[in-house]
Amino acid sequence: MADLAVPVVTAALLLWLTRGLASEPGAEPTSFQWTATVVTVVVTCIALVPRRWAPLPVFGVVLVTAATGALLIDHPDTVVYGLVEVVALYSVAAHLDRRTASLAGCAAFAVALMLGVPVRSGPQGLLAELVLDAALYMAVVACGQLRRQRKARRRELAARLAEADAERRAAALAERHRLARDLHDVAGHHLSAVVVHSGAVAGVGDPELARQALGAAAEKGREVLRSLSRLVDVVGAQAADGDLRTVLPPLCRGLSEFGMPVALEVEGRARRVPPEVGFAAYRIVQEALTNAVRYAAGAPVRVTVRYVPGSLELTVANDAPSGGGTAPGLGSGRGVAGMTERATELGGTLRAGPDAAGGWTVAAALPTGGGPRRGPGWDEALDAAAIAMCAVLPLVAFTPPDPLVRGFPGWAVPLVAAALAARTAPLWWRRRAPRIATAALAVTTLVFGVASALWRPDLLPVLMLGCGAEMVAVYSAACYGGRTAPTWPAALVAAVPWGVVVGLVMVEPADVRVDLAPVLLYGLLVGGTAVTVALLPFWAWGRLVAARSRHWETEALAAMAAHTGQAVLAERDRVARGLRGGVLDHTGRLVRVAEAGLAGDADDRRAALTAAADEARAALTGMRALLAAMEEPGPAGRP
């Protein structure tokens, strides 16, 4: 649909603009010029249809046809060059490599220069047009190349997502088979032995054999509990999607259910972090808690999450083990190495070691502001083009033959140009610090506007021609301002200087001392409101672009964060839930019954043997049901 809609809309717009510009008496085009205009517009717009499949040939046809038509028509008010080649150039930049796109932009600029020199009456107008044309074509090429990079990144993410999904499936299947085998070998052997041995001894009636059988049943039951706890690593899997507020509490509660007191504290303003940071943070906390379970069982653990500007800080500290002394080392060190690697990959740091109280502390700092700063690219080219256009376009007010500002001394024009460049310079930081850039632009606009309104009101049209800077700033604040704080105030901030200028314009010089405050307030309300309303569409545009561009990549990164290790842990969590629901409960009762029987008389031991056999049999039944359920793919193995 877009392949046809864009040429049709472009043709209609070009013909409408030409009709409107060339309608003044005495300036109407001749029949030949009008016919040539229509033919040129129709041919170039038809040529745009296959621009996606053959962007370079289309660009060549459009460029040559539009330039030839402009030379044949030779009428300053016929618009046949300026829009259609922009569409063709964007297609080249969006589908072809950097070198080809840059050469196409240079070709478009050269043709524009060739067509612009004969119709400009002075060097000022020609210079302004050259700068604006250069900025325009640079912006078009940059936008196209950025679009091409985003599409390439999406294809890369899709491929990585498919690979990660296949790895998760294979890992989940392998882990499911391992868990089923180990569950059968460990629990099946011991529980079956308890059923057979306890049942046989209960029928003999020998008190000594009953005591020995109960002791063996209790020991086998405890071994089953230890083995099953190790089997599932006692820590279930969770999905870290960047919102730690939803994934850490269940992790800590899961350990508390196993008698491990865990306290979770969150400091600072909680916010979503990038998916890769959230995943790494979850895994670091999970590994630290797992080590606390293994080497400091029963000792209180404190998990602290601190949200600080540009970073996420984690601390997992456990007290000394109940036996006293210094907390032992973390096994072979692989756990600490894995946590350190996760932190280092994100540009963060991690420290693990004993503390002064004999416990163990893991402290990590993970940056949340993205990866390392890269060199200049198409983003910076687009920013430079936007600054150039917003700074140079107002200078058109000084260019002949019909300047908007008359009688202005020529020596002062460079000063105005420098002031305009300083006014738009904050836009360079519109991506990294959009709120600061918007506020700085508002300050520079206020200074320029107040100075113009008080001393040179004829410069106000110059300021109005540069209003595109506010549009860019508000769009950038909405697009890059993040999701943790509202971005709509950017429109209000950008509108305040214009409201003040409107108020100053309304004040008569003789009434400044008397009427300044109420008139300024009125101008601020009326002018500021009008400009805010005009800027809100650009704010909405920025929010829409941010939502569309970030949503898919965020979802893909979050899905890739669920890599092989998470699939393995998901299977363990699945088994852990099944074990807690039946096998562990019955095995625990088996141990308690056997221990109670050992403390009783002969009749109590005989009854305890029967009860222990029943509990072992029930645990075996639960285990068989769990093994049967494991034959079906779990969530990690679904297609």
Side-chain angles (χ1 to χ4, degrees):
M1 181 63 70
D3 293 335
L4 295 177
V6 171
V8 170
V9 172
T10 302
L13 182 61
L14 290 175
L15 294 176
W16 176 75
L17 287 174
T18 299
R19 174 65 70 181
L21 293 174
S23 60
E24 296 183 6
E28 301 92 342
T30 64
S31 58
F32 170 78
Q33 289 174 325
W34 181 250
T35 301
T37 299
V38 173
V39 171
T40 302
V41 169
V42 170
V43 172
T44 53
C45 289
I46 290 177
L48 289 178
V49 174
R51 66 189 183 281
R52 296 175 188 265
W53 315 303
L56 195 58
V58 165
F59 175 75
V61 170
V62 166
L63 198 64
V64 172
T65 304
T68 303
L71 292 174
L72 288 175
I73 296 167
D74 193 24
H75 193 287
D77 294 327
T78 54
V79 185
V80 296
Y81 188 90
L83 177 60
V84 67
E85 85 282 0
V86 165
V87 177
L89 177 60
Y90 177 82
S91 299
V92 170
H95 294 91
L96 300 179
D97 59 87
R98 176 194 296 259
R99 180 174 178 274
T100 303
S102 300
L103 291 176
C106 293
F109 176 75
V111 173
L113 175 63
M114 178 190 67
L115 297 177
V117 169
V119 299
R120 289 301 172 187
S121 57
Q124 292 179 341
L126 180 61
L127 180 61
E129 182 170 339
L130 290 180
V131 174
L132 290 175
D133 284 344
L136 172 64
Y137 294 126
M138 181 187 298
V140 171
V141 173
C143 288
Q145 283 288 289
L146 289 173
R147 171 66 175 172
R148 180 171 179 266
Q149 290 175 3
R150 283 194 295 270
K151 290 171 64 177
R153 175 165 174 76
R154 288 196 174 192
R155 288 193 298 268
E156 177 187 355
L157 287 176
R160 289 169 55 191
L161 188 59
E163 294 175 0
D165 187 60
E167 291 177 1
R168 286 198 305 274
R169 291 167 185 262
L173 182 60
E175 183 66 8
R176 187 158 56 246
H177 289 165
R178 186 190 73 81
L179 289 171
R181 181 183 65 251
D182 292 349
L183 181 61
H184 180 272
D185 292 345
V186 175
H189 172 76
H190 291 319
L191 292 174
S192 297
V194 171
V195 171
V196 174
H197 191 217
S198 298
V201 172
V204 172
D206 187 332
E208 182 59 24
L209 286 178
R211 187 185 64 79
Q212 293 177 1
L214 286 175
E219 180 58 32
K220 294 292 185 185
R222 285 190 290 267
E223 178 62 26
V224 168
L225 291 176
R226 287 193 298 268
S227 299
L228 293 182
S229 295
R230 288 195 301 268
L231 186 66
V232 298
D233 205 19
V234 303
V235 181
Q238 299 287 345
D241 64 350
D243 191 355
L244 297 175
R245 296 167 294 182
T246 62
V247 297
L248 287 183
L251 176 64
C252 296
R253 285 197 302 269
L255 281 181
S256 299
E257 294 174 358
F258 284 90
M260 192 79 176
V262 180
L264 174 63
E265 296 181 3
V266 178
E267 301 177 3
R269 183 176 178 179
R271 63 184 185 272
R272 277 184 176 271
V273 296
E276 60 272 20
V277 176
F279 176 73
Y282 179 86
R283 286 291 175 250
I284 289 172
V285 174
Q286 184 184 56
E287 179 64 25
L289 290 176
T290 300
N291 283 309
V293 171
R294 289 173 176 166
Y295 303 109
V301 182
R302 296 173 302 282
V303 179
T304 304
V305 180
R306 299 183 187 89
Y307 291 90
V308 298
S311 179
L312 179 70
E313 297 180 355
L314 309 168
T315 302
V316 181
N318 61 268
D319 292 347
S322 57
T326 304
L330 297 183
S332 63
R334 289 191 296 270
V336 174
M339 292 187 290
T340 303
E341 183 180 355
R342 290 187 188 279
T344 305
E345 286 178 352
L346 297 174
T349 59
L350 185 137
R351 177 183 58 82
D355 55 31
W360 190 273
T361 300
V362 175
L366 307 178
T368 58
R373 182 78 175 98
R374 55 181 178 76
W378 288 114
D379 287 333
E380 287 72 19
L382 183 59
D383 294 342
I387 293 172
M389 293 183 70
C390 293
V392 175
L393 182 60
L395 296 179
V396 175
F398 299 100
T399 59
D402 296 316
L404 295 176
V405 180
R406 299 179 182 274
F408 197 79
W411 60 267
V413 173
L415 297 179
V416 175
L420 291 172
R423 171 180 173 265
T424 56
L427 292 179
W428 183 256
W429 293 274
R430 69 184 187 92
R431 299 175 190 270
R432 299 186 291 277
R435 291 183 177 86
I436 296 177
T438 303
L441 178 67
V443 171
T444 55
T445 301
L446 181 63
V447 173
F448 190 97
V450 170
S452 300
L454 293 180
W455 294 291
R456 290 301 300 252
D458 55 340
L459 287 180
L460 290 177
V462 176
L463 184 63
M464 294 180 64
L465 287 174
C467 65
E470 278 73 19
M471 301 174 186
V472 174
V474 172
Y475 168 86
S476 302
C479 189
Y480 306 110
R483 294 173 291 181
T484 59
T487 56
W488 58 265
L492 296 177
V493 172
V496 167
W498 296 88
V500 174
V501 171
V502 170
L504 289 175
V505 171
M506 296 173 62
V507 176
E508 293 293 335
D511 299 331
V512 168
R513 295 182 180 273
V514 178
D515 299 327
L516 181 60
V519 175
L520 272 179
L521 180 60
Y522 179 78
L524 185 62
L525 292 176
V526 175
T529 301
V531 175
T532 300
V533 172
L535 292 176
L536 283 178
F538 295 92
W539 172 83
W541 183 19
R543 296 305 296 172
L544 178 62
V545 171
R548 292 187 60 186
S549 62
R550 294 175 185 167
H551 176 74
W552 190 89
E553 290 191 9
T554 299
E555 293 296 326
L557 287 172
M560 282 189 293
H563 60 17
T564 302
Q566 188 178 16
V568 169
L569 291 174
E571 288 299 323
R572 297 181 187 176
D573 181 68
R574 183 183 178 200
V575 174
R577 289 196 302 268
L579 291 174
R580 293 174 195 139
V583 180
L584 291 176
D585 289 344
H586 288 293
T587 305
R589 284 197 289 269
L590 183 156
V591 174
R592 291 193 293 272
V593 166
E595 290 175 344
L598 286 172
D601 55 20
D603 293 335
D604 292 334
R605 292 174 185 173
R606 188 180 301 108
L609 283 172
T610 303
D614 291 340
E615 293 295 344
R617 192 176 292 107
L620 280 172
T621 302
M623 186 196 71
R624 294 190 185 100
L626 178 58
L627 290 173
M630 291 175 64
E631 295 297 326
E632 297 294 329
R638 287 179 182 170

